[in-house]
Amino acid sequence: MFNWLDAIACFEVTQSIRSNTLKVVEVIPDWVLYSLPDGLWLSSYVCLVLLIWKNKINKESAIWIFGMPVMAIMSEVGQFFRIIPGTFDWMDMIMYVLGTAFPLEFYRRTRTNNFK
């Protein structure tokens, strides 16, 4: 990544930003730095797929809606059993579940309240 930044003349700016944020990183909890982004990307994925399928959950859309969350959760399980390289983390697992559940709960509430 840093070679790419250097190739487009952005390495210096990136290094400056990184050095100025080191003080902030020390006070941010580890789960916010390392696990929350996992839950947020998964949540954005579920939201996008729900949007593409016009908030319709059926057999066809369920494959797309739940495919990525299942892969994310299974990758953590694979790490737990040392089938997949990496470090198992309960907080990652929790964020994957929440990142899937929140958009679905929002979907459920908007469907029952008929928001337009």
Side-chain angles (χ1 to χ4, degrees):
M1 177 181 91
F2 296 110
N3 290 336
W4 295 353
L5 292 170
D6 195 26
I8 60 172
C10 290
F11 184 77
E12 308 295 329
V13 173
T14 305
Q15 285 301 98
S16 175
I17 292 169
R18 291 182 77 209
S19 65
N20 288 325
T21 57
L22 285 176
K23 297 173 194 113
V24 177
V25 170
E26 294 172 2
V27 297
I28 296 174
D30 283 348
W31 70 270
V32 172
L33 284 174
Y34 302 112
S35 300
L36 183 62
D38 294 340
L40 291 175
W41 77 255
L42 195 55
S43 181
S44 65
Y45 168 82
V46 173
C47 286
L48 176 64
V49 175
L50 283 169
L51 179 67
I52 290 169
W53 284 90
K54 299 179 181 165
N55 286 340
K56 292 183 180 151
I57 299 178
N58 53 37
K59 287 180 185 178
E60 292 83 19
S61 67
I63 293 168
W64 292 98
I65 294 167
F66 296 106
M68 191 64 68
V70 166
M71 284 193 292
I73 290 168
M74 292 309 294
S75 73
E76 257 335 282
V77 171
Q79 289 174 10
F80 179 79
F81 290 107
R82 300 193 188 278
I83 298 168
I84 295 174
T87 304
F88 173 79
D89 185 6
W90 278 109
M91 192 55 70
D92 285 350
M93 184 73 82
I94 291 168
M95 289 298 150
Y96 289 147
V97 170
L98 292 176
T100 304
F102 282 154
L104 293 172
E105 177 62 17
F106 181 76
Y107 156 79
R108 187 189 68 78
R109 288 178 185 250
T110 57
R111 295 284 292 181
T112 57
N113 292 329
N114 291 326
F115 290 133
K116 299 202 181 202

